[in-house]
Amino acid sequence: NNRVKIKALLAGDTIGQEVTVMGWVRTFRNNQFIALNDGSTNNNLQIVVELGQLDDATLKRITTGASLRVTGEVVASVGKGQTVEVKAKQLDILGDSDAEKYPLQPKRHSPEFLREIAHLRFRTNTFGAIFRVRHSLAFAVHKFFNEQGFVYLHTPIITSSDAEGAGEMFRVTTLPATNPPLNDDGSVNFKEDFFGKSTNLTVSGQLEGELGAMAFSEIYTFGPTFRAENSNTTRHLAEFWMIEPEMAFYDLEDNMDLAEKFIKYIIQYAMDHNREDLEFLAQRLVEEEKQLPQDKRSELGLIEKLEFVLNNGFERITYTEAIDILLNSPAYKKKKFQYEVKWGIDMQSEHERYLVEKHFKKPVIVTNYPKDIKSFYMRQNDDGKTVAAMDILAPGIGEIVGGSQREERLELLEQRMREMHVPVEEMSWYLDTRRFGTVPHAGFGLGFERIVLFVTGMTNIRDVIAFARTPKNCEF
Ligand code: ATP
Ligand code: MG
Ligand code: MG
Ligand code: MG
């Protein structure tokens, strides 16, 4: 198999070589020109067949969606928008595609429509670009932490701790593959005794991650995370991927510095390696926004927005300052907020987006939240009211990162756990980190799909994950 990928072929100096390419037909014109795509780039490779070279039966089978193997010579192209094309010498059809039934037409489809045909949406330019960018961002996550000397720790998917009451959980039960036992009323009798205790899918790998940090100094997790979010928003999934670094010997400031550096690093990586795809997505956004009134359109294009983020420090404010800004905002005075604003609230996405989009016009890190709206493990500040938390808010989305310095003082931690009804005895394994060589430490969680949303300029989180799980939706 001496197949050449189309991206490499188009980029390289291949004129005069004989190559084999494989891919799917996008279009076929005049019984002569095939636009072939193999998913390595949105740019199609033009395959040229001579008139009379193929019999009529074969020509009829070259339809949109059909898969081909073509061997031929790379020649300079006279066609517009391409430098080279392949003169077919040998052409084989690997798989037919019924043109009448093929759901994708050579036109722009809405993401909503494409969500219904998940198996083919990857073949569109928009989703081709999104998922290549997603791939690069994921690769950059590992590259960044590897360069920083972090250990990649795989925390468990099935857990017995609920980490933080971060959201409703999916319970794990067992069931024989055939003939499940039934209750008297005919419903399935799920067994829950496999682990001898109630178990659920992980909502966060943080607590386990802290144990790793207490030995390796710096670790990160990057894995699937599950929350039975019962609302249909554009930023929540029931199954999403979370990146959770956890670092010994870090305070809140170090934590913020790392998070900002990390976010910029992975964005820069995508800018360096996916320029073409990002430019495609930028253009898509421009087309999309043409339907909006002028004042609703983005001030910056996608590329400019990313460049701006790379070149400017994130704003850093306290929660108390954030609430003051909201209370003094024109939006508040004109009663534009749907949810109440006062010290003590868990900010809603409308509040977060106001801060980043209208007030600061850049990403914002909000610190020192009221302790009553945050988890038990966050380090208490001396004021007795707030904790050393930090959330990073991004334009178009709101929260993308939630993190904190952790409470390393055993007594204060135990006291907080009792106050918040966290079972102290059951979590003895966790408290051991504070019993034996406790150290100041910190960490954060970044929802991977939220950063993919930000970088691709998409607006619905369902469009940046390969197979979205949301309420009433787990078909494919
Ligand atoms: P939100 O306020 O958006 O519900 P959260 O505060 O409940 O988020 P955390 O528990 O702080 O979320 O989790 C850390 C990060 O994980 C969040 O900052 C976000 O990026 C991401 N995240 C949380 N829930 C989801 C979800 N249901 N789908 C996708 N990403 C999520
Ligand atoms: Mg939540
Ligand atoms: Mg939140
Ligand atoms: Mg949060």
Side-chain angles (χ1 to χ4, degrees):
N1 185 341
N2 55 351
R3 177 175 62 111
V4 181
K5 285 276 196 86
I6 290 174
K7 183 178 183 185
L9 193 159
L10 293 175
D13 179 15
T14 42
I15 291 179
Q17 287 178 22
E18 182 168 296
V19 296
T20 297
V21 289
M22 301 187 204
W24 294 268
V25 175
R26 284 277 173 96
T27 57
F28 186 31
R29 286 188 296 120
N30 303 345
N31 276 346
Q32 255 197 303
F33 305 108
I34 304 167
L36 194 73
N37 189 283
D38 66 2
S40 57
T41 164
N42 274 347
N43 295 320
N44 301 322
L45 174 66
Q46 174 150 291
I47 308 289
V48 184
V49 292
E50 297 286 316
L51 289 172
Q53 186 184 352
L54 300 171
D55 57 49
D56 280 358
T58 308
L59 286 173
K60 276 215 182 69
R61 292 173 62 202
I62 305 177
T63 57
T64 301
S67 47
L68 306 183
R69 171 175 51 221
V70 181
T71 300
E73 190 192 339
V74 182
V75 296
S77 176
V78 290
K80 195 158 116 262
Q82 63 211 6
T83 49
V84 296
E85 59 193 26
V86 168
K87 253 176 77 180
K89 201 160 110 190
Q90 174 72 31
L91 184 150
D92 301 301
I93 294 167
L94 302 174
D96 290 287
S97 168
D98 183 341
E100 299 286 302
K101 295 196 183 127
Y102 194 66
L104 303 178
Q105 304 307 319
K107 64 158 195 177
R108 189 176 293 276
H109 294 288
S110 74
E112 292 78 10
F113 168 77
L114 292 168
R115 262 176 237 148
E116 303 298 313
I117 47 165
H119 53 303
L120 287 177
R121 72 178 175 154
F122 295 132
R123 288 196 195 168
T124 64
N125 284 337
T126 298
F127 287 93
I130 291 169
F131 286 98
R132 283 187 298 268
V133 170
R134 182 181 166 120
H135 159 80
S136 279
L137 289 168
F139 183 78
V141 167
H142 292 297
K143 192 167 181 312
F144 174 82
F145 286 118
N146 189 51
E147 284 169 12
Q148 303 284 321
F150 283 53
V151 168
Y152 180 25
L153 191 73
H154 297 102
T155 52
I157 305 263
I158 301 177
T159 67
S160 60
S161 68
D162 116 5
E164 45 183 315
E168 277 192 58
M169 301 177 294
F170 291 102
R171 201 144 159 184
V172 177
T173 61
T174 62
L175 197 61
T178 52
N179 299 328
L182 301 180
N183 296 316
D184 291 343
D185 65 358
S187 60
V188 173
N189 181 4
F190 291 99
K191 284 195 283 175
E192 299 208 36
D193 58 357
F194 185 89
F195 295 105
K197 65 197 313 192
S198 164
T199 48
N200 56 272
L201 297 180
T202 182
V203 293
S204 160
Q206 182 204 312
L207 301 185
E208 294 90 346
E210 282 185 55
L211 271 61
M214 291 301 128
F216 299 106
S217 297
E218 291 162 317
I219 63 98
Y220 71 106
T221 71
F222 184 7
T225 309
F226 308 86
R227 295 184 188 180
E229 307 279 3
N230 240 333
S231 55
N232 266 303
T233 76
T234 53
R235 72 176 203 188
H236 289 96
L237 291 163
E239 176 178 312
F240 63 101
W241 285 67
M242 186 144 63
I243 298 147
E244 293 180 280
E246 197 64 39
M247 299 76 64
F249 319 114
Y250 272 54
D251 62 14
L252 189 66
E253 185 105 350
D254 300 327
N255 202 20
M256 289 192 275
D257 291 345
L258 181 82
E260 183 169 338
K261 187 169 158 189
F262 165 64
I263 289 169
K264 288 178 173 171
Y265 181 97
I266 64 174
I267 293 176
Q268 184 67 57
Y269 187 87
M271 290 280 265
D272 292 344
H273 293 83
N274 296 75
R275 188 72 187 197
E276 220 174 66
D277 286 328
L278 290 173
E279 273 164 13
F280 174 85
L281 291 166
Q283 188 52 34
R284 176 194 170 276
L285 218 55
V286 170
E287 302 287 331
E288 190 117 300
E289 291 191 352
K290 276 188 186 152
Q291 292 157 31
L292 301 175
Q294 195 80 43
D295 63 322
K296 287 262 161 29
R297 296 182 199 165
S298 314
E299 282 170 38
L300 297 178
L302 181 62
I303 303 281
E304 293 77 43
K305 177 188 87 174
L306 296 174
E307 269 162 3
F308 180 86
V309 167
L310 290 173
N311 296 326
N312 289 279
F314 296 1
E315 193 70 32
R316 297 183 182 192
I317 58 168
T318 65
Y319 170 90
T320 304
E321 285 165 345
I323 295 294
D324 280 344
I325 291 168
L326 293 173
L327 287 174
N328 288 306
S329 66
Y332 181 77
K333 289 178 182 142
K334 288 190 207 139
K335 298 197 165 35
K336 288 263 176 71
F337 293 127
Q338 197 188 331
Y339 293 91
E340 187 184 20
V341 181
K342 66 169 192 203
W343 200 94
I345 59 158
D346 195 5
M347 276 190 275
Q348 299 292 321
S349 127
E350 58 172 355
H351 306 134
E352 296 174 341
R353 292 185 58 175
Y354 180 86
L355 291 171
V356 284
E357 288 162 30
K358 296 280 185 314
H359 193 84
F360 290 109
K361 296 184 187 286
K362 50 153 70 170
V364 177
I365 312 186
V366 182
T367 57
N368 300 325
Y369 282 74
K371 65 177 183 181
D372 290 336
I373 57 167
K374 289 293 184 187
S375 306
F376 70 88
Y377 51 70
M378 296 193 179
R379 192 176 199 279
Q380 294 183 58
N381 291 326
D382 294 339
D383 62 12
K385 290 190 306 194
T386 61
V387 286
M390 62 132 189
D391 276 12
I392 302 186
L393 317 178
I397 302 165
E399 177 179 342
I400 56 169
V401 164
S404 70
Q405 184 171 344
R406 316 307 188 190
E407 183 57 81
E408 84 281 14
R409 299 162 294 185
L410 180 64
E411 260 150 52
L412 285 173
L413 181 57
E414 279 185 343
Q415 183 199 330
R416 193 73 192 130
M417 287 169 85
R418 291 216 168 80
E419 278 167 20
M420 297 181 82
H421 307 290
V422 180
V424 177
E425 285 68 36
E426 273 177 46
M427 306 233 352
S428 190
W429 59 271
Y430 174 69
L431 293 171
D432 276 350
T433 53
R434 274 65 170 176
R435 293 192 183 107
F436 306 107
T438 191
V439 296
H441 64 290
F444 62 86
L446 170 85
F448 185 55
E449 284 74 21
R450 295 205 182 164
I451 196 79
V452 182
L453 267 183
F454 183 71
V455 174
T456 57
M458 298 300 289
T459 46
N460 193 317
I461 200 162
R462 291 165 180 76
D463 297 323
V464 298
I465 188 161
F467 301 95
R469 268 84 182 96
T470 50
K472 305 272 177 291
N473 176 27
C474 191
E475 257 178 76
F476 34 64

